[in-house]
Amino acid sequence: QVQFVESGGGLVQPGGSLRLSCAASRSITRIYTMGWYRQAPGQQRELVARITSSGTTNYADSVKDRFTVSRDNAKNTVYLQMASLKSEDTGVYYCNDPIITMPWGQGTQVIVSS
């Protein structure tokens, strides 16, 4: 069973950028879709971005045109490039397969604050 380790979070000012990484314990080549989730304080996890094996991406309206998801199968890693960050982007970010949910990692915390 593949597991994920998220990293790259931190404290950033509004308008800043961060690049999150999701390292899988095993090959992700066989995983058709990989997604990034965000859990804001007191709320459920929300799927904010996903990418298929062919490179097709989808984004929640709240992050569209600001976030970019990519994957590097050779490195067993999925990335989330975050730009023009807003305070509303604050939360814990997780990665997972939105089709076949696997064990959740601990996530990486992003705090956007001036």
Side-chain angles (χ1 to χ4, degrees):
Q1 187 74 27
V2 64
Q3 295 188 355
F4 307 108
V5 178
E6 300 90 349
S7 63
L11 176 64
V12 63
Q13 292 186 329
S17 300
L18 284 173
R19 190 192 195 198
L20 307 184
S21 297
C22 167
S25 60
R26 308 181 82 182
S27 174
I28 62 171
T29 303
R30 64 183 179 86
I31 303 178
Y32 180 71
T33 306
M34 285 294 298
W36 279 98
Y37 297 76
R38 177 174 66 204
Q39 186 169 22
Q43 300 191 12
Q44 300 290 319
R45 287 190 184 95
E46 173 193 16
L47 181 65
V48 298
R50 61 184 181 183
I51 183 169
T52 69
S53 59
S54 63
T56 300
T57 58
N58 295 97
Y59 301 93
D61 288 341
S62 60
V63 307
K64 193 171 298 181
D65 299 324
R66 299 188 299 114
F67 290 10
T68 302
V69 61
S70 61
R71 62 194 293 172
D72 187 338
N73 291 343
K75 296 182 178 180
N76 298 333
T77 303
V78 183
Y79 304 97
L80 186 67
Q81 182 67 52
M82 311 164 68
S84 302
L85 285 164
K86 307 174 181 179
S87 60
E88 298 94 321
D89 296 319
T90 294
V92 180
Y93 286 73
Y94 304 84
C95 61
N96 213 319
D97 181 348
I99 307 302
I100 307 176
T101 305
M102 302 178 188
W104 295 98
Q106 62 181 292
T108 184
Q109 187 174 47
V110 173
I111 301 176
V112 185
S113 180
S114 60

